[in-house]
Each structure stands twice: as structure tokens, then as C-alpha cells.
């Protein structure tokens, strides 16, 4: 009797749960009504429980279990239905919230680093990785540091070639960051492994390839067993890091008063790979930097024993690297600061 | 320096290589070849022809029909040239051939101009008669070529032979970049010596023969050097009975290829020797040398001297002059005088080959404003021995060209001459230095090729005087490296003491500035360190402003670049103006660059170079935006103290009511504000509303740091109270906040302005301000009583500032 009754209740409840949402009533409200009608204090199942006293004592546990089972079935059905409906409602809402993802982005406009700085930071990264320390020196400098201590005595043609800006007495605007070498060597702390970026000045009128002020990065390594082959190896590594792993280097004899032997380093043209193109003027090679073994006399003048210590030095034109690497065809762009130029870096 | 390969081969007869090979190998052994050009480029099928017959063209007034014998045949060629006549020998390009360019002498086309048989106004023409321009050359070096017309051979050439050969154009001219230490290589002979060593071939230098008749030069001329510091040697010889004429073709060809116009045998010889030996020479008309006497001495201040180009020039006592017994006849090493110059009627000549002080010549040439081939050669600093050799070579040529009778002997005045330099030979040290293992015998071979001798007993390498650049161990190492080959030296990495690379703290703080500026939309500019003194006026600086005490460059590139900047703002303002006038909207720029503050003027010590961060913008944004950027930077630089702002910054180029000094712990570290409208106008952007901030980086760096300590997150709730008040108009928010912070004490967490209002409903001279003040205790939940008591203190404090609470 009770069993049949429970069976009926279950079927009725499940049907109503299934039907919830049909008609005008809100589906969740309809479910709630089902809960109240069957499981509520005055619900049908509760009524069955209340009628338990009419069941024989030995039957009661059995009947109780049946009632609980029916309750579980209804509750589970309610829960599932509710979840189903909520998911449907969520889907409905998300559907409505659809946006046009191809509309323009909104962004916080960031500024741009100057190509010189990008090139410099790249150089710094490479040489710091090799254990070099970055040091700086004064831009307004004494003749001794810019020339004399670098083996460029009074009357030396190099002194004239560079067309120096003079201030007064022996004070001038440095023409090369090599002046920092001397300051470092004079400190007497050996070994030395430094690069020194900075602004230099030469009396060249402004045009597409000249500027009265530009930047160099000087490099200096002084230790007991340094050789010219180490200079080649160091700069070859640098070139590969800066211009790509396939980059080849070529060292040509040259002359700088403060290094002996001296060399200029070319890299294989990174546009044509060395076959020759307009970019490298058909040569396949592009001149990148000057370098050499620190002249023993230069070491001596700064109080370093050239019989015990040797060193190499190199000087890189920062603008040259920036112009080449980013294919900028006019040096004036670097000092104009037109935002349309800067934005491209 | 331009030199034809044929001239090099004259001294290295066995040299045989392609142009490219020559360029590459010379460059890699240290004589850098900048480039080369073939003189016979695009010259094909060009022969010597003789014009047998000329007829008028039936249908064209300006054309003529020539029957031209080209050796193998007589062919018909129509030409418009006005200068040919029957019997002339001319260069003829045959049909199917090619010439280098047009007759107008413009830029040469890449592939030349092909010539084909065809009809000109109906008349058959089987080629073309050539002008010197069409052959890729010019009248500058072929003075016998006509102004406009066909080149006509005025000497024996064979009919039908290669006309390009006859003109000496089967040659390649190489352009070298000679380094300043290799004075000896500013000469054909010097380069040839390098070429011989590079290719491992024998070198045979210019021929020198003993010349002169039985007379003695001393009987004609006496030489006195009064300023031996400026003239280390003076060699003089005399050539009598000069026969002026043309030089032989071989000499003319070499001069032409080097870009020198052949003039006459005498002049050509001096030019030839200068190119060949790198020694400038001069020839005086002996009859103009008063008293047969040469005196080398400084000019007197104010002397006026007329050089052979007819210009009057003013001398000073640092200019060295060549004088005769009475007067000045030449500026030593720079240019001869009009009063002693060679004319066609010259009878006897005094040749001079001297060695002058290079530095003095350079400085004199610059002061006088006259830089000549001679002066630019002397200024490199020549070897006095070379003067002697050049003189002997010149006389050998005089004899060879038969242009006069050479008087025996010479007058040679000099002090102590430089000696050969001896350098100890240390092969092991050289190998260590280069990172090589070159056998000592091989090193000695390289030296031998370079004419460096080895004294085995003393174990020394003896360097000839023309190699003034060889002075010590490292120089020998370079010679070994050059001829062993830089490319063969191994590639190794230093086995040096381990070290950790790093950036200085200063640069790390600058990097923070870059990051913060860029995050806020500022792009980095680079500006010049020097500027015009007019900048101070554009910035409205008072006449006595300290910033006007700028370092002046003694030799600037014009006033626009004449002083070192004492303020960093001009660069950014100029750049903003550039952008504004190019209609770029909303531009934000920053710069990190030095200003230069003199400790005293004129400069005796080095100035204080102070790195400045300058931020500037126009368009979107205002004062408070910029202030925010500054604060973000200070925060990221790890400055713990809060910045305060004083409106008393008095910058003439900023809006007087919208500027502030930025202070940290009471110390000024910079300023910011709106650019004064007059300054905007001076920068040609009157319509822009621009803002600037300047931070003195050394002050920031002093206070900055990357140390951070975790302070915990609040576990107890905050209590906040709003204060709404009426404030006297001139009271600064900073003052109010300072009062709140001071009275709020330990439990005050912060205060934030959320409303500010002036106008209707507010009494004239006042403004309404509202703050939210937040309190929190790290140890416990605050009670109302505690908060009330602190609030009371704050309100009392505000009361002392004349502030009333609003209901």
C-alpha cells in the first residue's frame, strides 16, 4: 500500500520536475514548488512519514528506507534539473554578452627607447655577459687623457685629423671614449675588464653621415696573458651575438696611435651574407670597429708594467651600429626626435 | 692617393694578379685599397684610324662624311665633330664596339655606350670617331684634347693599333687609404715596396744615377738654414740651359692616371718625383735668386708675400720662408713666390728638396689658409734622407729627359740626421703577444722583404729611416702579424681572471628612469650637448642668471653649437617644437643627458657634469599627470621619503603659477611645470600647452636604492573618516596634508583628496576641499574613541590654518 503510494509520489514528482519551465512560470520557481509540494513540511512525502505510525513496528525500518530512497531520488532529480537550468540560463546570458573581437584595441601607449640606447643596451648585455664592467668617464676632458696618454703627443697628425673642440688651456671635449682607458689604468687595479660607453665630440658639420657629437663604446681588457688571438676571439663572439650566428669577421691591419698591432674589424654583410650587395657597396664586408693590442708605451705611461701585463682595446661607434642594424639612412634622424621615427623602435 | 697599377708594376716587375686580388691582398696586409677603377672600362673595339677624305653630308649642314683608314680597311663614318681634317690620326670605335660615355663628359653610364653601324640622315656610318670624354677621360689630364671635338693624336701611332693602348688607358687606378704612421706609403715607391712584400716578389726601386758636369753647385749657390728647428735638411742642385718641352708619353700617362695634368718636362719631373718618392720639390728660376743665396728663416710678423698663384698673403713669425740674398722667394713647403717662378723663358733652375717641420707646416698652412699638395705631404713629417734621394732621382730624370745641363755636386745643409732604429728581436715574446707559433726564421723573412735587416750578433732588427713608425717591440709584432696574415692568427678567448660584469649603480637608476618614462608614454630623445647662447633669451633667463655662466667652446661649429648647456630643457623644447610643427599629436619625450656646470670661468678644472632626466610633453595630460610620472620614478628608484613641492621655484621659462620645485627631505632634486607661453612662442609653438619636468639624477642616485623589506599586509580593519572643509584659497593641499600627517601620528594610514571646488556657494577667497582620512593599527582593531581623539587633534590643527569645517 505504502509502497504503491511512494511509487506514485515518485512518478508524479519526477514528471513535475521534468515539466518545470514549460508554461509561463519561471523554471526555478516551478522546481521550488515541486520541492515544497513533495518534500516540504506539508508535502506528500512528509505525509507518508507521518502515516508511519500506522505501519507495523517490524515493517517500519523497511518502509523508512523506502521513503528515504524516494526522497533521494526526488532530491537528485531536483538538483540535476536545477543545474541544467542554471547552465542553460548562463549560456543564454553569455550568448547575449557576445562582443565584436575585431573592434580596435584600447591600450596604454608606451614610449619608445631611442635606437642608440637599444644598440647600447645590446652591447652592454653582450659584454656584461663576458664579464666586462661598465664604467663612464668625463665628456669635458684634459688633453692628457684624450691625447697624450694615448700616444698622441703634441703635433701628432691624429690630433689634427680629429678636429677637436677646445675649451681653454688643456681642456677640451673628448674626441674618443679611449680617454676612459687612461683613467681606469691609472687607478692601478688590475686586471681591468671594462667597456665605457659615452658621448664624444668632433668638429664635423651635421649631415647625413656626420654629427659633431656622437657616441662610442670603448672596450679594454688588461691581464697577464692576453694576446691578439684573444682579441680576435672576443670580437668574433661579439659580432655573432650582435649580428647573428652566421656572421663572419675579418681583421685588417690599421693604425691607431694607442694600439700596436692595430686592426679594423669588418663583419660579413648581414644583408647579403657576404656575396656583395648595395648595402655593403658590393664588398661583402662592412666595417664595424677599430681595435688592437694596447701599445706598451700607453701601458707604461699609466704605470702598468708592459713586460708583465698585456691588453687589448677596441672602440665601437654606437651610431654606426644603430644605423647599420636598423637600416637608418640619415644620421640626422637620431637627433631630431621626431616621434614618427622614435615609434619605430 | 690614386695610383695606376702599371706604375706599381714598374718597381715590382713580376707582379701579376687580378685587380680584385691586388685589392684584397694589399688591404689584408695593411695598405687599404678603398677601390679601383679600370681606365679602359667599356672601351671595346677602338683602334687608331686615319681620316683619308672628308665630304659634306648631302642632307645635314653640321655633319660630315669621313673615309677612315682603320688599318685593315677604309670605312665610312659620319661625324658632327668640327675639328677633324684629312690626314688626322684619331681613335675610332668600330661597329659592335663600345665607348665609356657621351661626348659631353657627364657621369659615365654603368654599361657604357654600344656603337653599331647605321645610317645618319640617310648616310651609312660604320662606327664613331671618339672624343676624350667618350673614352672616359677628360681634358684635365689630356690637355692636348680639344675643348669640343675628336681627340687627335699628335704623335706617332700605328694605323689600326689599339687606340686605348696608345692612350695608355689599359690600366687600373687604385685608391688607397694610407694611415698616418706610414709616411713612406704616401708614395708610389712606398706602396710598391709593400706590394712586393705582400706578394713575395722582388722590389726594384726608382733608378738613381750619379749626374752632373764638372762644375760645382757651390759655385752657383749658397744655402743657410737660420731656423734649424723648422728645417732639418735643405738640398739644392742647379740645372743650366733648360730646354722646356713636353715630357715623354710614359711619364704623362703615369701623371694622368694619378690625376695630375702634364704641363712641361720641368714641372712634370717635380710632380713625378713627388708622387714617386713622396718628396715635394720646388724649382726656382736661378736668375731671380739674388746673390745666389738661399736663406731659410722665419718671416717677420706682418710680411706680405705674393705666392705664384698671384695672391697676396700675410705672414707671421711662425711661418718659415725661403729667402734669397735680399727678399722672400717662397713659403717653405707650401708654395713658391711669384717673384721666382719658372717661366717658359727660364734659363737656369735651382732645384730644392728639403725637409721641413711637419707640425709647423700644417699650422702655417692653416693660418695662411693655403693647403697645397706639398704642404699636406710635408705635414706628415718626412724623412730627411728622402730629400736627398728625391733630388738625385729628379736629376736622373732631368738627364733622361734631356731637359738641361746638370751642374755637378750639390749643396746639402743639415744638422744631425736620424739614424736607423735598432729593436731587439724577441720572437717568443712576439708569439705570446700575438697568440701564434710562428718560427723565428719565418719572422726574419718577413723583415727581409720589408728591407729590415737583422744583426745576428746583437740580435737586433735594424729599421731603415724611411720606416719612422718602427720604434719598439710591438711595432715588430705588427710587421710579423701583417705578413703572417691577421686572418691566420688563431681565434681564442682570453683565459683571464674571472670577473663578474656589471652596470654602475648610476646607470641602473637611469634605466629605472627610462622604464618609468616609457611606461608613461614618453619616448627617448637624444639632444646636443652644445647650443647657442640665444637659448637663454628664449628661456627668458634674466641677464644675471647663474645658468648664463656657460662653458664656451673656443672653436665651435658656429654660434649654434658654441656653449655647453647648463640647462637641459632646450633640447626637449626644440624637439617638441619639431614635432608640433610637423603636426604630430600628443607628443611625450624624455632625455637623459649631461649638463655642464663650470666651477669657475674661464675653465681651470673640469666642470661638474650632471646627468639630467628631462620629461616634456604637449597634448593629452596636465601638471598632475607629469607630477605622477615623477613620483612613480622616485618610488621605483627606491626613494623612501615622500617628495614635497614648493611653488617658489622661480623658473623664468615656466608658467609662474604652475611650477614647483621637487624636494626630497627638504633638498631640491628637480622641478616641473607648464612651459611659459612666451617660451612656447620663442620655440615656435605658441599654440602648444607644453609641460616640462627636470630631475637632477646625481641627487636621486644619492638617495636611491634597490633594498626592499616586506612590511606585512594589514590584518586589522581600517577606519576612515571624511573631512569636508572650507579653506582659504591660497592654502596649499600640501600644507593641509602635512598637518593631517603630523597630527594623525602612528595610526594614520593615509589621506586622499576626493573633492575640490571653488565658485558659487563658496565664500569669495575660499575653496571647498574634502579628504578621506584612513586610520589603521597594525596590532589591533581601532576603537571609535581612539579614532575620534586623533580626528580631534587633526581638526584642531586644521583650525590653526584658518580652515573651517563644512556642515
Amino acid at each position: 500500500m505504502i509502497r504503491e503510494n511512494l511509487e506514485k509520489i515518485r512518478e508524479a514528482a519526477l514528471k513535475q520536475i521534468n515539466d518545470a519551465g514549460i508554461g509561463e512560470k519561471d523554471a526555478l520557481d516551478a522546481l521550488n514548488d515541486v520541492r515544497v509540494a513533495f518534500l516540504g513540511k506539508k508535502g506528500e512525502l512528509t505525509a507518508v512519514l507521518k502515516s508511519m505510525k500506522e505501519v507495523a513496528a517490524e515493517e517500519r525500518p523497511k518502509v523508512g528506507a523506502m521513503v528515504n530512497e524516494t526522497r533521494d531520488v526526488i532530491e537528485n532529480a531536483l538538483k540535476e534539473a536545477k543545474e541544467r537550468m542554471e547552465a542553460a540560463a548562463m549560456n543564454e546570458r553569455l550568448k547575449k554578452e557576445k562582443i565584436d573581437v575585431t573592434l580596435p584595441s584600447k591600450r596604454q601607449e608606451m614610449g619608445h627607447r631611442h635606437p642608440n640606447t637599444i644598440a647600447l643596451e645590446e652591447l652592454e648585455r653582450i659584454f656584461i655577459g663576458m664579464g666586462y664592467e661598465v664604467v663612464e668617464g668625463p665628456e669635458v676632458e684634459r688633453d692628457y687623457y684624450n691625447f697624450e696618454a694615448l700616444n698622441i703627443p703634441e703635433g701628432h697628425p691624429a690630433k689634427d685629423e680629429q678636429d677637436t673642440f677646445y675649451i681653454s688651456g688643456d681642456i677640451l671635449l673628448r674626441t674618443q671614449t679611449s680617454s676612459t682607458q687612461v683613467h681606469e689604468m691609472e687607478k692601478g687595479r688590475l686586471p681591468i675588464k671594462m667597456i665605457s660607453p659615452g658621448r664624444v665630440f668632433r668638429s664635423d658639420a651635421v649631415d647625413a653621415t656626420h654629427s659633431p657629437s656622437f657616441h662610442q663604446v670603448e672596450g679594454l681588457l688588461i691581464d697577464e696573458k692576453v694576446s691578439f688571438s684573444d682579441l680576435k676571439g672576443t670580437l668574433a663572439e661579439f659580432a655573432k651575438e650582435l649580428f647573428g650566428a652566421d656572421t663572419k669577421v675579418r681583421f685588417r691591419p690599421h693604425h691607431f696611435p694607442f694600439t700596436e698591432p692595430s686592426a679594423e674589424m669588418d663583419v660579413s654583410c648581414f644583408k647579403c651574407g657576404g656575396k656583395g650587395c648595395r648595402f655593403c657597396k658590393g664588398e661583402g664586408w662592412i666595417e664595424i670597429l677599430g681595435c688592437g693590442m694596447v701599445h706598451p708605451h700607453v701601458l707604461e705611461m699609466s704605470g702598468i708594467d708592459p713586460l708583465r701585463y698585456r691588453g687589448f682595446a677596441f672602440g665601437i661607434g654606437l651610431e654606426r651600429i644603430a644605423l647599420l642594424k636598423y637600416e637608418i639612412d640619415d644620421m640626422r634622424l637620431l637627433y631630431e626626435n621626431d616621434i614618427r621615427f622614435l615609434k619605430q623602435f | 692617393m690614386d695610383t695606376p697599377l702599371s706604375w706599381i708594376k714598374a718597381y715590382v716587375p713580376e707582379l701579376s694578379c687580378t685587380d680584385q686580388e691586388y685589392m684584397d691582398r694589399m688591404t689584408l696586409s695593411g695598405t687599404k685599397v678603398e677601390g679601383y677603377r679600370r681606365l679602359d672600362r667599356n672601351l671595346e673595339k677602338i683602334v687608331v684610324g686615319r681620316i683619308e677624305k672628308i665630304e659634306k653630308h648631302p642632307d645635314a649642314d653640321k655633319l660630315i662624311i669621313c673615309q677612315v683608314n682603320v688599318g685593315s680597311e677604309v670605312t665610312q663614318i659620319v661625324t658632327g665633330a668640327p675639328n677633324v681634317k684629312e690626314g688626322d690620326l684619331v681613335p675610332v670605335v668600330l661597329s659592335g664596339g663600345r665607348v665609356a660615355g657621351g661626348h659631353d663628359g657627364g657621369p659615365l653610364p654603368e654599361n657604357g655606350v654600344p656603337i653599331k653601324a647605321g645610317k645618319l640622315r640617310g648616310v651609312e656610318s660604320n662606327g664613331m670617331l671618339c672624343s676624350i670624354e667618350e673614352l672616359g677621360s677628360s681634358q684635365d689630364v689630356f690637355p692636348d684634347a680639344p675643348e669640343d671635338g675628336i681627340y687627335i693624336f699628335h704623335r706617332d701611332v700605328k694605323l689600326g693599333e689599339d687606340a686605348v693602348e696608345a692612350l695608355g688607358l689599359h690600366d687600373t687606378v687604385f685608391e688607397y687609404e694610407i694611415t698616418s704612421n706610414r709616411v713612406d706609403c704616401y708614395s708610389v715607391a712606398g706602396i710598391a715596396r709593400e706590394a712586393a712584400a705582400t706578394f713575395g716578389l722582388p722590389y726594384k726601386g726608382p733608378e738613381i744615377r750619379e749626374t752632373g758636369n764638372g762644375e760645382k753647385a757651390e759655385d752657383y749657390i749658397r744655402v743657410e738654414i737660420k731656423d734649424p728647428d723648422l728645417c732639418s735638411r735643405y738640398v739644392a742642385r742647379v740645372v743650366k740651359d733648360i730646354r722646356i718641352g713636353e715630357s715623354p708619353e710614359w711619364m704623362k700617362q703615369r701623371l694622368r692616371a694619378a690625376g695630375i695634368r702634364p704641363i712641361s718636362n720641368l714641372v712634370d719631373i717635380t710632380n713625378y718625383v713627388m708622387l714617386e718618392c713622396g718628396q715635394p720639390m720646388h724649382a726656382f728660376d736661378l736668375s731671380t735668386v739674388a746673390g745666389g743665396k738661399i736663406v731659410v728663416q722665419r718671416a717677420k710678423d706682418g710680411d706680405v708675400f705674393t705666392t705664384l698663384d698671384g695672391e697676396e698673403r700675410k705672414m707671421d713669425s711662425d711661418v718659415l720662408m725661403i729667402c734669397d740674398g735680399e727678399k722672400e722667394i717662397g713659403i717653405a713647403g707650401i708654395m713658391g713666390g711669384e717673384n721666382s717662378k719658372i717661366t717658359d723663358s727660364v734659363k737656369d733652375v735651382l732645384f730644392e728638396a728639403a725637409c721641413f717641420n711637419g707640425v709647423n707646416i700644417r699650422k702655417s698652412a692653416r693660418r695662411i689658409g693655403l693647403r697645397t699638395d706639398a704642404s699636406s705631404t710635408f705635414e706628415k713629417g718626412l724623412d730627411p734622407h728622402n730629400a736627398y734621394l728625391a733630388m738625385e732621382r729628379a736629376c736622373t730624370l732631368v738627364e733622361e729627359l734631356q731637359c738641361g745641363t746638370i751642374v755637378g755636386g750639390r749643396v746639402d745643409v743639415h744638422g744631425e740626421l736620424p739614424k736607423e732604429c735598432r729593436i731587439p728581436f724577441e720572437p717568443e715574446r712576439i708569439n705570446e703577444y700575438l697568440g701564434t707559433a710562428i718560427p723565428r726564421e719565418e719572422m726574419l723573412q718577413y723583415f727581409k722583404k720589408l728591407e729590415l735587416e737583422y744583426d745576428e750578433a746583437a740580435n737586433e732588427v735594424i729599421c731603415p729611416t724611411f720606416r719612422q713608425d718602427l720604434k719598439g717591440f710591438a711595432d715588430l709584432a705588427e710587421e710579423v702579424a701583417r705578413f703572417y696574415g691577421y686572418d691566420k692568427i688563431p681565434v681564442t678567448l682570453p683565459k683571464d681572471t674571472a670577473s663578474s660584469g656589471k652596470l654602475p649603480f648610476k646607470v641602473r637608476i637611469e634605466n629605472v628612469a627610462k622604464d618609468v618614462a616609457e611606461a608613461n608614454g614618453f619616448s627617448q630623445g637624444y639632444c646636443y650637448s652644445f647650443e647657442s647662447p640665444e637659448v637663454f633669451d628664449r628661456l627668458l633667463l634674466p641677464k644675471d642668471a647663474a645658468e648664463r655662466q656657460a662653458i664656451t667652446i673656443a672653436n665651435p661649429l658656429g654660434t649654434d653649437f658654441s656653449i655647453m648647456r647648463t640647462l637641459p630643457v632646450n633640447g626637449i623644447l626644440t624637439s617638441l617644437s619639431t614635432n608640433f610643427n610637423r603636426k604630430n599629436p600628443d607628443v611625450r619625450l624624455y632625455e637623459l643627458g649631461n649638463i655642464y656646470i663650470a666651477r669657475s670661468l674661464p675653465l681651470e678644472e673640469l666642470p661638474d657634469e650632471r646627468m639630467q632626466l628631462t620629461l616634456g610633453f604637449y597634448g593629452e595630460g596636465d601638471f598632475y599627470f607629469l607630477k605622477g610620472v615623477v613620483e612613480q620614478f622616485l618610488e621605483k628608484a627606491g626613494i623612501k621619503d615622500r617628495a614635497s613641492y614648493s611653488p617658489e621655484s622661480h623658473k623664468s621659462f615656466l608658467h609662474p603659477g604652475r611650477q614647483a620645485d621637487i624636494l626630497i627631505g627638504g633638498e631640491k632634486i628637480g622641478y616641473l611645470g607648464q612651459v611659459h607661453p612666451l617660451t612656447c612662442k620663442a620655440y615656435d609653438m605658441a599654440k602648444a600647452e607644453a609641460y616640462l619636468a627636470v630631475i637632477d639624477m646625481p641627487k636621486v642616485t644619492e638617495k636611491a636604492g634597490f633594498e626592499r623589506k616586506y612590511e606585512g599586509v594589514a590584518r586589522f580593519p581600517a577606519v576612515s573618516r571624511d573631512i569636508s572643509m572650507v579653506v582659504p584659497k591660497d592654502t596649499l593641499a600640501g600644507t593641509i596634508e602635512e598637518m593631517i600627517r603630523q597630527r594623525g601620528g602612528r595610526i594614520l594610514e593615509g589621506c586622499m583628496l576626493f573633492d575640490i571646488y571653488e565658485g558659487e556657494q563658496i565664500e569669495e577667497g575660499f575653496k571647498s576641499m574634502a579628504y578621506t582620512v584612513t586610520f589603521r593599527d597594525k596590532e589591533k582593531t581601532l576603537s571609535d574613541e581612539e579614532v575620534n581623539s586623533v580626528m580631534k587633534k587633526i581638526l584642531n590643527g586644521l583650525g590653526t590654518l584658518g580652515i573651517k569645517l563644512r556642515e
Side-chain angles (χ1 to χ4, degrees), chain A residues 1-250:
Chain A
M1 182 60 193
I2 285 179
R3 181 189 299 255
E4 282 160 23
N5 210 3
L6 284 173
E7 199 72 26
K8 259 191 237 161
I9 289 170
R10 176 156 66 182
E11 264 165 41
L14 291 179
K15 181 167 188 310
Q16 282 180 42
I17 289 167
N18 229 358
D19 292 347
I22 299 173
E24 278 174 24
K25 201 159 194 174
D26 179 79
L28 287 171
D29 287 349
L31 281 186
N32 204 38
D33 290 350
V34 176
R35 178 185 299 277
V36 172
F38 291 92
L39 308 178
K41 273 183 189 154
K42 292 175 182 166
E44 291 185 34
L45 208 57
T46 320
V48 173
L49 274 181
K50 279 182 186 158
S51 66
M52 280 286 270
K53 49 184 174 281
E54 291 159 25
V55 177
E58 64 273 23
E59 288 286 304
R60 276 183 199 165
K62 217 170 150 194
V63 174
M66 277 160 62
V67 172
N68 283 341
E69 195 204 326
T70 308
R71 174 186 291 274
D72 285 351
V73 168
I74 296 170
E75 273 182 346
N76 278 338
L78 278 170
K79 196 175 156 227
E80 272 170 31
K82 193 175 174 222
E83 280 169 358
R84 198 171 60 239
M85 284 164 193
E86 278 171 349
M90 171 71 84
N91 282 340
E92 195 58 32
R93 200 181 91 217
L94 295 182
K95 225 180 202 171
K96 284 188 195 137
E97 286 173 358
K98 193 171 100 171
I99 58 163
D100 177 357
V101 296
T102 65
L103 283 176
S105 61
K106 295 176 195 164
R107 50 185 214 178
Q108 175 72 39
E109 201 59 54
M110 285 187 59
H112 302 260
R113 266 212 192 16
H114 194 280
N116 268 358
T117 308
I118 300 173
L120 172 59
E121 288 176 355
E122 183 84 355
L123 259 58
E124 284 175 345
R125 179 182 66 74
I126 296 168
F127 283 107
I128 286 173
M130 295 191 209
Y132 286 72
E133 187 177 343
V134 177
V135 299
E136 294 183 334
E139 294 170 14
V140 181
E141 185 55 283
R142 289 199 187 270
D143 182 292
Y144 176 79
Y145 291 93
N146 194 70
F147 291 125
E148 203 183 320
L150 292 167
N151 234 0
I152 309 173
E154 198 54 44
H156 190 285
K159 220 171 149 168
D160 197 65
E161 273 168 13
Q162 298 181 338
D163 284 330
T164 312
F165 288 119
Y166 289 92
I167 306 273
S168 59
D170 67 336
I171 299 178
L172 44 80
L173 301 186
R174 68 173 172 189
T175 60
Q176 46 192 7
T177 44
S178 310
S179 52
T180 322
Q181 281 188 19
V182 184
H183 289 289
E184 280 306 297
M185 289 190 291
E186 278 186 348
K187 287 180 187 160
R189 286 197 303 257
L190 291 161
I192 296 171
K193 200 170 179 185
M194 65 126 200
I195 60 167
S196 181
R199 185 167 282 204
V200 300
F201 306 86
R202 288 188 200 174
S203 188
D204 284 321
V206 177
D207 66 24
T209 53
H210 293 92
S211 168
S213 94
F214 53 100
H215 299 77
Q216 288 184 335
V217 180
E218 184 77 11
L220 177 68
L221 186 148
I222 296 179
D223 208 339
E224 291 190 350
K225 294 209 159 30
V226 182
S227 69
F228 192 85
S229 61
D230 295 336
L231 167 66
K232 280 185 73 177
T234 300
L235 292 177
E237 277 300 307
F238 157 72
K240 281 183 186 163
E241 192 63 37
L242 189 66
F243 294 111
D246 295 335
T247 308
K248 287 189 263 308
V249 294
R250 176 174 92 162

Side-chain angles (χ1 to χ4, degrees), chain B residues 719-733:
Chain B
V719 178
S720 59
R721 297 285 163 89
D722 290 352
I723 318 175
S724 183
M725 51 201 162
V726 176
V727 180
K729 200 173 164 182
D730 287 340
T731 302
L732 300 176

Side-chain angles (χ1 to χ4, degrees), chain A residues 183-336:
Chain A
H183 289 289
E184 280 306 297
M185 289 190 291
E186 278 186 348
K187 287 180 187 160
R189 286 197 303 257
L190 291 161
I192 296 171
K193 200 170 179 185
M194 65 126 200
I195 60 167
S196 181
R199 185 167 282 204
V200 300
F201 306 86
R202 288 188 200 174
S203 188
D204 284 321
V206 177
D207 66 24
T209 53
H210 293 92
S211 168
S213 94
F214 53 100
H215 299 77
Q216 288 184 335
V217 180
E218 184 77 11
L220 177 68
L221 186 148
I222 296 179
D223 208 339
E224 291 190 350
K225 294 209 159 30
V226 182
S227 69
F228 192 85
S229 61
D230 295 336
L231 167 66
K232 280 185 73 177
T234 300
L235 292 177
E237 277 300 307
F238 157 72
K240 281 183 186 163
E241 192 63 37
L242 189 66
F243 294 111
D246 295 335
T247 308
K248 287 189 263 308
V249 294
R250 176 174 92 162
F251 290 83
R252 279 182 287 105
H254 198 70
H255 170 67
F256 303 107
F258 38 93
T259 52
E260 190 81 28
S262 303
E264 276 186 334
M265 185 178 88
D266 300 334
V267 295
S268 51
C269 176
F270 33 83
K271 281 219 109 171
C272 65
K275 288 195 283 288
C277 65
R278 268 181 54 189
F279 195 70
C280 58
K281 298 191 185 83
E283 284 194 41
W285 296 100
I286 294 174
E287 184 188 321
I288 288 295
L289 55 83
C291 57
M293 295 296 287
V294 181
H295 199 295
H297 187 231
V298 168
L299 292 176
E300 221 168 359
M301 276 189 283
S302 289
I304 295 174
D305 176 6
L307 289 173
R308 184 170 164 203
Y309 286 98
R310 301 193 290 260
F312 62 70
F314 51 87
I316 304 168
L318 194 56
E319 276 82 355
R320 181 162 177 76
I321 299 288
L323 294 183
L324 284 172
K325 212 168 150 52
Y326 310 119
E327 297 180 26
I328 301 166
D329 55 5
D330 191 329
M331 201 163 166
R332 285 170 290 206
L333 291 166
L334 298 175
Y335 287 86
E336 237 179 34

